[in-house]
């Protein structure tokens, strides 16, 4: 699986290269700034991009903007963003096109190699991988007055795990219930969020987007 990696800190970039190669990923390009990331994404068109949000020259959101630009040129390009802090706007921007294959992890997650590599693979496969801390903060700001308040506590719990990118099987294992029970909760979530079946849209991603937007 070919990866484009963008990280400005040499030691972290080198560590990520070694880690990903140890798990049989091919590093197609490793860059340390926004302009080079844009060029790499558009020329290499990797199976997945792992991108630091803040890159030179301004250290604001060059990584995110390069990823968003590349996804407009190459629809559905899988992108996993790494950030030092929880910034909900970045997560919403990534999910806005509803095409899947996106993730948002805090850099601390990199130090759990298995968890990090699992997230990279899920994003490359078209899924989502949202950091549990992002989900936790979003849960904390919800109120019963919001449309998502129609969901039961269990459905909100399932949606939170769905936002992390977990499959129905994985959610069932986490909550110690049957996969059939999770499938029922998932169907209820789609129904309450007015997400009918569609060949064009990924309902799990749209549900996560609604969750992040609180609408």
């Amino acid at each position: 699986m070919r990866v484009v990696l963008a990280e400005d800190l040499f030691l972290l970039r080198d560590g990520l290269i070694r880690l990903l190669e140890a798990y049989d990923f091919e590093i197609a390009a490793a860059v340390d700034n926004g302009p080079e990331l844009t060029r790499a994404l558009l020329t290499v068109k990797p199976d997945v991009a792992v991108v630091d949000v803040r890159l030179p020259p301004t250290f604001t959101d060059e990584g995110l903007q390069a990823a968003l630009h590349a996804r407009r040129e190459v629809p559905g390009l899988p992108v996993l963003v790494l950030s030092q802090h929880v910034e909900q706007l970045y997560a919403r921007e990534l999910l806005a096109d509803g095409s899947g294959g996106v993730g948002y992890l805090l850099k601390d997650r990199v130090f759990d190699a298995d968890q990090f590599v699992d997230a990279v693979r899920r994003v490359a496969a078209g899924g989502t991988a949202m950091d549990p801390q992002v989900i936790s903060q979003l849960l904390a700001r919800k109120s019963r007055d919001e449309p998502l308040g129609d969901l039961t506590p269990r459905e909100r719990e399932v949606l939170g795990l769905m936002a992390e990118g977990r499959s129905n099987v994985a959610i069932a294992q986490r909550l110690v219930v049957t996969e059939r029970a999770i499938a029922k909760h998932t169907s209820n979530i789609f129904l309450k969020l007015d997400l009918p079946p569609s060949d064009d849209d990924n309902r799990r991603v749209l549900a996560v987007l609604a969750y992040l937007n609180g609408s």
Side-chain angles (χ1 to χ4, degrees):
M1 188 177 297
R2 298 161 65 246
V3 181
V4 164
L5 172 66
E7 168 58 55
D8 62 299
L9 297 176
F10 171 77
L11 289 178
L12 182 53
R13 186 171 67 252
D14 187 60
L16 286 170
I17 291 172
R18 293 170 185 267
L19 171 62
L20 290 168
E21 287 182 337
Y23 281 83
D24 296 327
F25 290 91
E26 176 190 345
I27 305 301
V31 302
D32 64 1
N33 64 75
E36 286 189 16
L37 173 59
T38 299
R39 283 193 289 274
L41 292 176
L42 295 180
T43 56
V44 173
K45 296 179 181 177
D47 298 308
V48 61
V50 179
V51 176
D52 184 9
V53 167
R54 301 188 182 203
L55 293 172
T58 67
F59 293 98
T60 54
D61 62 353
E62 285 89 346
L64 177 71
Q65 294 307 323
L68 293 173
H69 174 69
R71 280 172 63 87
R72 286 193 292 272
E73 298 295 323
V74 185
L77 175 70
V79 175
L80 173 61
V81 163
L82 301 177
S83 179
Q84 196 71 39
H85 308 287
V86 175
E87 298 188 63
Q88 296 165 14
L89 176 61
Y90 293 164
R92 286 197 296 270
E93 284 192 66
L94 274 172
L95 289 161
D97 63 14
S99 61
V102 294
Y104 180 106
L105 291 184
L106 296 182
K107 286 189 173 179
D108 289 348
R109 306 296 172 192
V110 171
F111 298 107
D112 184 326
D114 289 338
Q115 184 181 65
F116 172 66
V117 168
D118 178 61
V120 175
R121 286 178 174 153
R122 275 188 278 127
V123 170
T128 56
M130 304 303 295
D131 195 285
Q133 193 168 332
V134 176
I135 303 306
S136 177
Q137 290 195 15
L138 289 166
L139 275 173
R141 72 179 177 83
K142 301 299 181 199
S143 77
R144 296 296 301 174
D145 294 332
E146 294 172 333
L148 286 175
D150 291 339
L151 303 183
T152 66
R154 180 59 102 183
E155 288 165 354
R156 291 163 67 86
E157 193 173 14
V158 169
L159 183 53
L161 291 169
M162 192 188 302
E164 291 181 25
R166 304 296 171 187
S167 66
N168 282 3
V169 173
I171 295 173
Q173 292 173 343
R174 175 77 68 87
L175 300 181
V176 196
V177 298
T178 65
E179 185 181 353
R180 184 176 179 181
I182 297 303
K184 183 177 180 181
H185 288 311
T186 303
S187 295
N188 288 339
I189 290 168
F190 292 153
L191 180 64
K192 291 179 179 179
L193 296 182
D194 192 24
L195 297 171
S198 169
D199 293 332
D200 299 323
D201 299 316
N202 185 324
R203 289 197 294 173
R204 293 179 81 90
V205 172
L206 291 176
V208 171
L209 181 59
Y211 183 66
L212 293 172
N213 286 330
S215 59

